[in-house]
Amino acid sequence: MENQVKALDPVFAEMSAATDRLLWDEIPELTAREKVLLCLTADVCQQTLGLPFQQHVTMAFDCGLSADDLREVLRFVAYDSGYPAALTALARLVELEREHALPSPTGQGHEVNADGTGSPLPESMRQAVAALDAPFGTYMDLQSRMRAGMRLLSARERAFITMTVDVLFQTLQESFRAHLTRALSNGATPEEARAVVRFSARFGMTKAWRAMHVLDALLTEVGGARV
């Protein structure tokens, strides 16, 4: 893959390699698997489904993720990226699996529970959203309920993915607060939360810069400021 980038532009390849060394080698708070998941999340949200997505899919398999895991990533992120973006990524994933003889999915999934009722979201959040617009609240209930049975991604991984989506889309109010709180409640430390935002600079420096300001204020508010 590095040779492909060099063939396009050797100077760009050098800059990219230096960036990767800093963000991959010097952010020990995140595992290699978590970093790959965040890269895939960015690919879906930003629709970078060419060479970057191919690279990240290959890295995902190298990190032990299965084809079933990758499909759960796309099912999960569709909530925030939008279904059309996630569907486009799914079609590209299938193409890559065929072109490069990558492992195929086994069909492992989860119960969708689309026809159920309620939601795993905090009741206060549900009431606040319903007060804004009741049908939108119903939609939010459905989306959260359909993902409640996912088990291939850990709660920590799901929280980090949604934090990255917030950075990329700059949704740094209610949702970023909720996703940061979820990460911390599932064992993430403040420094690990900072690492998630720091890593997202790979997908847009100025977006990460703004998110770091918001994160710092939120961590101070919840007593997780760096000492």
Side-chain angles (χ1 to χ4, degrees), residues 99 120 139 165 170:
E99 290 171 7
Y139 176 82
V165 173
Q170 293 289 278

Side-chain angles (χ1 to χ4, degrees), residues 200-214:
S200 70
R202 193 172 191 265
F203 319 119
M205 172 65 194
T206 54
K207 293 177 181 179
W209 188 5
R210 178 60 195 147
M212 195 66 80
H213 277 291
V214 176

Side-chain angles (χ1 to χ4, degrees), residues 69-185:
D69 294 332
L70 294 181
R71 279 157 177 76
E72 181 152 301
V73 173
L74 299 182
R75 295 172 193 139
F76 179 70
V77 79
Y79 189 163
D80 292 316
S81 71
Y83 277 83
L87 178 57
T88 303
L90 177 59
R92 178 60 179 146
L93 172 61
V94 173
E95 287 179 357
L96 290 172
E97 289 170 344
R98 291 171 178 168
E99 290 171 7
H100 299 279
L102 297 172
S104 299
T106 66
Q108 184 177 4
H110 70 285
E111 182 184 356
V112 172
N113 193 25
D115 296 325
T117 59
S119 165
L121 294 174
E123 187 60 29
S124 59
M125 180 185 295
R126 295 181 63 210
Q127 290 179 2
V129 172
L132 286 173
D133 184 81
F136 181 70
T138 300
Y139 176 82
M140 193 169 180
D141 280 353
L142 171 66
Q143 295 305 315
S144 59
R145 185 172 65 247
M146 288 196 298
R147 287 158 176 76
M150 289 184 172
R151 294 294 180 269
L152 299 180
L153 301 176
S154 70
R156 169 189 165 106
E157 289 169 342
R158 295 196 299 271
F160 286 173
I161 286 171
T162 51
M163 286 177 62
T164 298
V165 173
D166 287 327
V167 176
L168 296 173
F169 289 158
Q170 293 289 278
T171 48
L172 300 174
Q173 293 79 37
E174 299 89 346
S175 61
F176 189 57
R177 176 190 291 271
H179 298 150
L180 171 63
T181 300
R182 183 182 302 161
L184 297 175
S185 66

